[in-house]
Amino acid sequence: MTTPLIFNIQKFSVHDGPGIRTTIFFKGCPIRCAWCHNPESQSFQNEVILTKDGQQEIVGRTYSIEELVREIEKDTIFYEQSGGGVTLSGGEVMSQNMDYLETLVKTLKNRGISVVIDTCGVAPFKHYQRLMPYVDLFLYDLKFIHSALHTKYTGTSNRLVLENLKKLSDAGAAIDLRLIMLNSLNSDEHSVQKTIEWLRENMIHLASIHLLPYHEFGRDKYPRLHRETPQLFASPSHDRLVEIRQQFNCYCPTFINE
Ligand code: SF4
């Protein structure tokens, strides 16, 4: 079994699902979002990053399942008190070694730890089917409803993203839909209406919707990885975000704010 690389274990996370969570960031992603805040998450290989004070640091290391579960269990008391647990994020979790992932989520479930998966939707559906019985919630990204824009800004069409979202919903998975908000790219009236129409036509059942306004965090990491700094995007205004929220509210009344 190829053991996946992990590049960060974030304790006391409160933005990656319910309650207090430990978020595990797996290294390797099949797509390339032009705004990615974690460029060190994209390659499936180890790489060197310069720290802010100019030291070389290796990004990515392996953990045996026992070692990782031990680390996660250190905060069990906080999960119990807050309704939290563990969130598997990335990079893209669903593109990792699925034997490893299935054993990990089964083990966590058997120990009574809630599992949330954060995914961009670009993975074979059979991977989702394998993990679904042990996953309490999917944080599911939909970046663009227009396929051409999805291709332009992530390098991949949204066909699989939409197909997997429909299949997960039909299979009864709990889904928190996460929409990155980029001014004048996916937050205009037409894009929002088209997204709502698509959700309606496909009868997508959502536990909640999460608007994620664009921010500039992580741009400083690109030169430290010897990569070109990406273009700047902008978030829609506060007023526009309120309008978008109202528009989605009639489809799914449960909103989570960042
Ligand atoms: S899906 Fe996430 S990790 Fe992958 S490139 Fe996009 S923002 Fe980065």
Side-chain angles (χ1 to χ4, degrees):
M1 184 195 304
T2 321
T3 307
L5 289 175
I6 288 170
F7 73 93
N8 190 13
I9 297 180
Q10 193 174 306
K11 304 270 189 161
F12 300 103
S13 171
V14 291
H15 295 297
D16 297 322
I20 295 173
R21 315 195 69 84
T22 295
T23 304
I24 313 290
F25 292 88
F26 286 87
K27 187 162 160 47
C29 184
I31 67 173
R32 292 290 178 269
C33 301
W35 57 85
C36 183
H37 306 305
N38 288 321
E40 77 278 33
S41 75
Q42 293 178 341
S43 165
F44 285 86
Q45 311 298 324
N46 285 115
E47 61 196 311
V48 174
I49 190 168
L50 291 178
T51 61
K52 285 184 179 166
D53 54 2
Q55 304 300 308
Q56 291 199 337
E57 191 177 277
I58 305 278
V59 187
R61 59 155 284 194
T62 57
Y63 287 78
S64 69
I65 287 171
E66 302 74 51
E67 197 181 359
L68 191 54
V69 171
R70 246 193 334 267
E71 195 56 40
I72 291 166
E73 282 189 322
K74 286 181 184 166
D75 291 326
T76 301
I77 182 119
F78 298 107
Y79 313 147
E80 286 172 357
Q81 285 174 355
S82 67
V86 65
T87 298
L88 307 180
S89 185
E92 177 50 56
V93 185
M94 305 308 289
S95 298
Q96 306 292 334
N97 179 313
M98 294 312 289
D99 291 335
Y100 179 98
L101 260 298
E102 190 178 3
T103 309
L104 174 64
V105 294
K106 262 188 196 169
T107 309
L108 292 169
K109 206 65 194 162
N110 286 339
R111 306 221 180 157
I113 297 175
S114 142
V115 178
V116 168
I117 286 195
D118 181 9
T119 179
C120 71
V122 182
F125 187 66
K126 62 181 185 211
H127 291 190
Y128 293 90
Q129 280 175 307
R130 278 182 76 174
L131 300 199
M132 235 180 87
Y134 319 103
V135 173
D136 296 291
L137 179 69
F138 287 90
L139 309 180
Y140 199 101
D141 296 347
L142 175 56
K143 298 169 197 304
F144 295 96
I145 195 69
H146 296 286
S147 195
L149 287 176
H150 202 283
T151 304
K152 179 170 178 190
Y153 290 104
T154 75
T156 309
S157 106
N158 65 3
R159 183 189 57 81
L160 202 50
V161 180
L162 297 176
E163 263 177 36
N164 285 338
L165 178 54
K166 165 92 178 117
K167 287 179 185 169
L168 268 181
S169 167
D170 288 351
I175 301 166
D176 172 17
L177 189 69
R178 290 156 68 97
L179 305 164
I180 180 154
M181 291 280 106
L182 301 159
N183 193 38
S184 73
L185 284 179
N186 63 5
S187 56
D188 56 286
E189 189 60 27
H190 178 66
S191 299
V192 171
Q193 281 310 333
K194 202 165 153 45
T195 305
I196 293 171
E197 269 167 38
W198 185 89
L199 293 170
R200 275 221 177 90
E201 277 164 17
N202 288 281
M203 293 184 287
I204 305 296
H205 300 288
L206 298 176
S208 50
I209 296 184
H210 211 121
L211 298 185
L212 301 171
Y214 168 79
H215 60 73
E216 295 177 20
F217 303 152
R219 284 170 62 77
D220 65 303
K221 294 181 192 171
Y222 285 82
R224 293 196 280 114
L225 287 161
H226 302 291
R227 289 175 55 179
E228 205 177 313
T229 307
Q231 71 177 96
L232 269 175
F233 294 86
S235 165
S237 67
H238 172 75
D239 290 353
R240 179 63 192 139
L241 288 169
V242 171
E243 280 171 13
I244 294 170
R245 191 187 155 125
Q246 281 163 354
Q247 285 174 279
F248 276 109
N249 210 37
C250 59
Y251 186 79
C252 174
T254 311
F255 258 87
I256 300 174
N257 284 317
E258 275 295 288

